[in-house]
Amino acid sequence: MSAAAEFVDAALQREGDGYRAEDAKTRLGSELRFYGASVGAVRGTIRDMRQRYRHLTHDEVTALSSELWAEPVFERRLAAVVLLQSNVSLLDNSDLTRIEGFVRDAPLTALADPLTQDVIRPLLDRLDGVARQRALAVIARWSHDENPWLRRAAETIIPHIQ
């Protein structure tokens, strides 16, 4: 695990609470594990990580998001979403493949919706020319995918772009 991912994971575990973890698991009904860290703690952890690792490049941000997402822990995956939200200006149309995997594997609206609203839509809004056309083709493909999370994302995005 990278130093940045270790920092995030350790902070989230420290912020976790067994009672809150059980409550979130019951409320959200997911097979994911939960540390019990609050959304504010997740956001604060990413903010603190960005202070510690100030000059993350595009490749480092996207690799870190994948590293955080790889473990089936809600707070780690939410941290990946927050990381992408806070670095959407670094992303380009080629990152849709990675983000597609996240949406496809997001078992909760609490993960899929922020990816759609706060990562994919702003990314699309920034693109133009060939990059935008390629991204729109990807989104159009999602609307016919068997995965319900991708279809939901496409249904949310397509009216916004037309």
Side-chain angles (χ1 to χ4, degrees):
M1 190 171 354
S2 70
E6 285 179 7
F7 175 85
V8 171
D9 188 67
L12 294 175
Q13 288 189 51
R14 272 193 313 276
E15 292 289 335
D17 173 86
Y19 174 77
R20 205 173 17 219
E22 239 352 271
D23 178 61
K25 186 164 186 66
T26 300
R27 186 172 32 84
L28 296 173
S30 173
E31 294 300 315
L32 294 175
R33 293 190 325 266
F34 291 81
Y35 289 157
S38 69
V39 172
V42 173
R43 291 190 177 287
T45 296
I46 293 300
R47 183 193 61 239
D48 294 346
M49 184 277 303
R50 294 285 294 153
Q51 289 295 322
R52 182 175 281 214
Y53 303 96
R54 289 184 185 271
H55 303 290
L56 292 177
T57 65
H58 166 271
D59 291 349
E60 291 166 330
V61 166
T62 55
L64 178 56
S65 69
S66 290
E67 199 172 1
L68 292 170
W69 193 273
E71 291 295 321
V73 176
F74 174 76
E75 291 85 354
R76 284 178 58 117
R77 290 186 173 188
L78 184 58
V81 173
V82 171
L83 177 65
L84 293 173
Q85 287 171 331
S86 62
N87 290 282
V88 75
S89 64
L90 294 177
L91 303 178
D92 59 42
N93 68 306
S94 66
D95 295 313
L96 279 175
T97 302
R98 180 184 316 268
I99 297 167
E100 176 181 340
F102 293 171
V103 173
R104 186 179 293 282
D105 196 32
L108 300 167
T109 58
L111 296 171
D113 287 356
L115 279 167
T116 302
Q117 298 292 336
D118 302 329
V119 178
I120 300 168
R121 279 179 56 175
L123 169 60
L124 287 173
D125 289 344
R126 285 188 25 258
L127 298 176
D128 57 14
V130 173
R132 183 173 175 82
Q133 291 308 311
R134 288 180 179 158
L136 293 177
V138 169
I139 303 303
R141 178 178 49 79
W142 291 359
S143 67
H144 303 290
D145 198 280
E146 65 184 36
N147 183 284
W149 297 108
L150 286 178
R151 285 194 316 273
R152 177 184 169 101
E155 289 167 4
T156 300
I157 293 167
I158 289 171
H160 172 73
I161 57 176
Q162 294 179 345

